[in-house]
């Protein structure tokens, strides 16, 4: 069948999204974890270091008590679980998702407690400390493992990012360093945000963390392009997708943490809420 002519810009967009997908085939989870989740970026003795900053933003958002429900979906989890540590008390089930099978396998291995898994224990201990509820870290680790029942493939560039895998929309979403890192330009970033918003029920909360003004990052042999976004771009994209912003914070990456694995200028954290249907 001869199809209708596709407008050239749509074809270019499809090609650039395909190129991003291709560049991720070389993503090395171990190198990515080493670059971003080990010292100097993960220094738990300094509250103003980037990793403790992210963990505090998440802990404080969940401590409000406003974000809870049956299901939370993490969009583009990658090989990491730190972003779910403060969430696990507030949801019955947590669904992790990623585009790459290698990352989903890293997560499954952590859930099974395989011995060669990345050591998240300093993160879990730190979160127990800052939450101040007297929880033992082993207890939190077990709780999160128990709640992470599904680890699903996802593509945020699809209008239905999880296809038919989802039975019910989530009560909340978390996403860290995904949307800008997989979008070739700002319109695709905005479209990806619109696509994942379909997974969230009206009135649901979204905790979004990402890179500010970054153009690339490294993960082993892979050099991944990132669409540089400003605070204003993120706020505008959220507003266009129908969110209220409850809290917006920024972190300026200090020179000591500019270690050549990316060109990130800072990090944003947003607590947004999808507007209820009128
Ligand atoms: N969330 C983790 C974190 O906080 O470090 C990982 C972020 S990593 C920068 C970006 C992630 O997006 C990778 O795990 C990658 O596999 C995933 N990804 C790549 N293309 C994607 C797509 N089209 N849809 C969803 N996720 C994608």
């Amino acid at each position: 069948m001869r199809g209708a002519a596709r407008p050239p810009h749509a074809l270019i967009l499809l090609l650039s999204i395909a190129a991003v997908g291709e560049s991720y085939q070389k993503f090395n989870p171990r190198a990515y974890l080493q670059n971003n989740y080990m010292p100097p970026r993960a220094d738990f003795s300094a509250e103003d270091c980037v990793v403790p900053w992210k963990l505090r933003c998440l802990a404080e958002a969940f401590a409000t008590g406003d974000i809870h429900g049956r299901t939370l979906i993490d969009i583009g989890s990658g090989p990491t679980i730190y972003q779910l540590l403060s969430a696990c008390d507030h949801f019955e089930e947590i669904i992790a998702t990623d585009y790459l099978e290698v990352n989903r396998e890293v997560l499954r291995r952590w859930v099974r407690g395989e011995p060669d898994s990345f050591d998240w224990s300093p993160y879990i201990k730190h979160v127990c400390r800052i939450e101040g509820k007297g929880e033992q870290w082993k207890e939190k680790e077990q709780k999160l493992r128990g709640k992470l029942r599904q680890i699903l493939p996802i593509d945020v560039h699809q209008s239905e990012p999880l296809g038919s895998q989802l039975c019910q929309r989530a009560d909340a979403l978390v996403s860290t360093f995904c949307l800008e890192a997989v979008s070739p330009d700002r319109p695709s970033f905005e479209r990806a945000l619109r696509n994942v918003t379909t997974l969230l029920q009206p009135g649901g909360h979204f905790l979004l963390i990402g890179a500010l003004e970054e153009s690339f990052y490294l993960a082993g042999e892979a050099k991944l392009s990132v669409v540089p976004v400003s605070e204003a771009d993120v706020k505008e994209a959220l507003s266009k997708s129908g969110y209220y912003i409850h809290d917006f914070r920024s972190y300026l990456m200090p020179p000591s943490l500019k270690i050549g694995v990316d060109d990130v200028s800072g990090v944003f954290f947003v607590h947004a809420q999808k507007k209820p249907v009128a």
Side-chain angles (χ1 to χ4, degrees):
M1 191 183 89
R2 219 166 299 168
R6 197 187 274 284
H9 70 271
L11 184 59
I12 291 165
L13 181 66
L14 278 180
L15 289 173
S16 41
I17 284 174
V20 174
E22 191 53 36
S23 67
Y24 269 93
Q25 300 311 312
K26 285 192 187 153
F27 182 96
N28 178 330
R30 198 172 282 274
Y32 178 72
L33 289 167
Q34 172 71 42
N35 293 348
N36 295 289
Y37 297 104
M38 297 283 281
R41 290 191 169 179
D43 175 357
F44 295 101
S45 65
E47 260 290 312
D48 57 352
C49 181
V50 63
V51 160
W53 182 84
K54 289 189 271 187
L55 294 173
R56 181 163 291 280
C57 288
L58 292 163
E60 288 180 356
F62 284 106
T64 61
D66 295 338
I67 312 170
H68 53 83
R70 200 181 64 84
T71 311
L72 175 132
I73 303 178
D74 178 26
I75 308 291
S77 309
T80 71
I81 56 93
Y82 71 91
Q83 65 276 26
L84 304 173
L85 291 168
S86 287
C88 67
D89 273 340
H90 305 274
F91 292 87
E92 287 167 37
E93 184 188 21
I94 295 179
I95 302 176
T97 67
D98 202 73
Y99 182 71
L100 294 177
E101 168 55 21
V102 276
N103 284 337
R104 298 194 299 271
E105 180 58 13
V106 169
L107 295 178
R108 285 192 289 266
R109 293 177 71 86
W110 180 79
V111 170
R112 292 197 298 262
E114 306 258 342
D116 64 344
S117 291
F118 186 78
D119 180 14
W120 291 107
S121 66
Y123 285 71
I124 310 175
K125 288 174 189 166
H126 183 78
V127 171
C128 287
R129 221 165 24 241
I130 62 175
E131 286 180 352
K133 295 187 279 192
E135 187 177 19
Q136 297 300 306
W137 76 270
K138 277 275 172 198
E139 205 182 302
K140 190 184 264 305
E141 180 182 64
Q142 271 320 105
K143 198 186 293 165
L144 180 55
R145 285 188 166 133
K147 291 196 175 177
L148 253 179
R149 275 172 245 136
Q150 300 191 69
I151 298 170
L152 303 177
I154 189 165
D155 183 354
V156 298
H157 299 304
Q158 301 299 319
S159 53
E160 291 182 6
L162 288 171
S164 57
Q165 299 174 102
L166 194 69
C167 334
Q168 215 180 314
R169 285 197 276 192
D171 302 294
L173 302 180
V174 166
S175 187
T176 54
F177 302 96
C178 176
L179 301 183
E180 69 284 3
V182 305
S183 300
D185 50 26
R186 281 221 354 250
S188 330
F189 171 80
E190 290 186 358
R191 200 168 311 106
L193 179 61
R194 266 205 309 280
N195 293 341
V196 301
T197 299
T198 63
L199 305 174
L200 181 63
Q201 66 164 317
H205 295 261
F206 192 177
L207 299 181
L208 180 63
I209 294 184
L212 287 169
E213 303 295 1
E214 183 179 50
S215 74
F216 79 93
Y217 73 97
L218 304 175
E221 276 181 38
K223 181 173 181 180
L224 294 314
S225 294
V226 180
V227 59
V229 292
S230 65
E231 293 179 14
D233 296 333
V234 176
K235 288 178 185 166
E236 188 185 332
L238 284 163
S239 158
K240 283 184 180 168
S241 274
Y243 288 93
Y244 294 114
I245 294 179
H246 288 293
D247 189 13
F248 193 107
R249 304 181 191 185
S250 309
Y251 175 90
L252 189 66
M253 194 61 85
S256 59
L257 299 186
K258 293 190 175 174
I259 52 175
V261 298
D262 54 42
D263 64 349
V264 72
S265 302
V267 177
F268 66 86
F269 162 83
V270 198
H271 171 192
Q273 188 174 12
K274 184 172 171 176
K275 292 178 184 164
V277 266

